[in-house]
Amino acid sequence: MKLIIAGSTGFVGTELVRQALLHPRITSVVALGRRETCIPAGVNSEDAKKKLIPIVSQDFGQHSDATKKVFEGAGAVIWTVAVTPFKLKDFPWDEVIKVSREDALATLKVISKVNSSTTSPSQPLRYIYMSGFHVKRDRAEAEKNERLKQMPLMLDYIVMRGDAEQQCVDFAKQSNGKVEVAITRPGLVQGPDRERRSIPGVPDIEVEEVAAAQLEQVLNGFESEVLGNDDLVRIARKAWEARGQA
């Protein structure tokens, strides 16, 4: 499978690239990042060079003809790009919306279009939109969380992310089986060599688990439209157990 990882130089994206390069069923990794994607530590550089296709872009909402050419033949996309809640106040709201919602849908449409002649109902393009634990598609539902009601910006953010989810799902439903979309909602992603944080009411998940679960889903098919934190942990550990890595 040819896999596109959007946000390949981010925290989760870097781990996705590492695991994808090591996975025998992934033949090439298109690493879309705002800076050059390097071969992660622990990966044989010669083998990785044959699989890794780095693309540097400062605007994930616009893709050149050369980039579109590289997207051809992709079997799956994992979208990890977003302004995180921790950095929400560092960006204008319009930029938050563009990065977290508009670019995700624009890239999905571009990749779907360039692969329209190769995808089919029996082999659809699989697209994962990595969202967040508290994200809701209905504002009234989100407002049931009393803590979030006291944070208007965060409330707007999680509803906006919910709208991004819905737009991606709706696009897939209108694709006549050529595109499948799954939403992943991990909790607080932790990892080695990174300060561990905590958020009341939000469960932890290791970065290796987030990456492994999403790779498992794009390779073998989506078990449901929305995969929560517990689902991701379960899927990752089951995959490791099957490969003797438990």
Side-chain angles (χ1 to χ4, degrees), residues 6-8 10 32-34 57-63 78-85 87-88 90-108 127-131 157 160-161 164-165 168:
S8 57
L32 183 61
R34 298 192 191 282
S57 175
Q58 299 306 313
D59 186 351
F60 290 174
Q62 300 286 333
H63 301 290
I78 302 178
W79 180 273
T80 71
V81 186
V83 174
T84 66
K87 297 182 178 180
L88 194 53
D90 297 339
F91 293 86
W93 181 242
D94 286 350
E95 181 69 11
V96 174
I97 292 174
K98 181 183 186 309
V99 171
S100 306
R101 184 181 69 192
E102 306 306 318
D103 289 356
L105 188 63
T107 298
L108 171 57
Y127 181 95
I128 286 181
Y129 178 82
M130 195 176 80
S131 189
Y157 173 79
M160 179 274 293
R161 295 295 301 274
E165 294 181 0
C168 290

Side-chain angles (χ1 to χ4, degrees), residues 55 57 59 62-71 110:
I55 296 178
S57 175
D59 186 351
Q62 300 286 333
H63 301 290
S64 68
D65 289 342
T67 296
K68 292 175 184 178
K69 191 70 177 176
V70 176
F71 288 162
V110 166

Side-chain angles (χ1 to χ4, degrees), residues 23 25 211-221 235-236 239 243:
H23 203 295
R25 288 178 56 193
Q214 294 186 113
L215 288 177
E216 187 71 12
Q217 290 292 286
V218 295
L219 284 166
N220 298 310
I235 291 167
R243 296 199 296 267

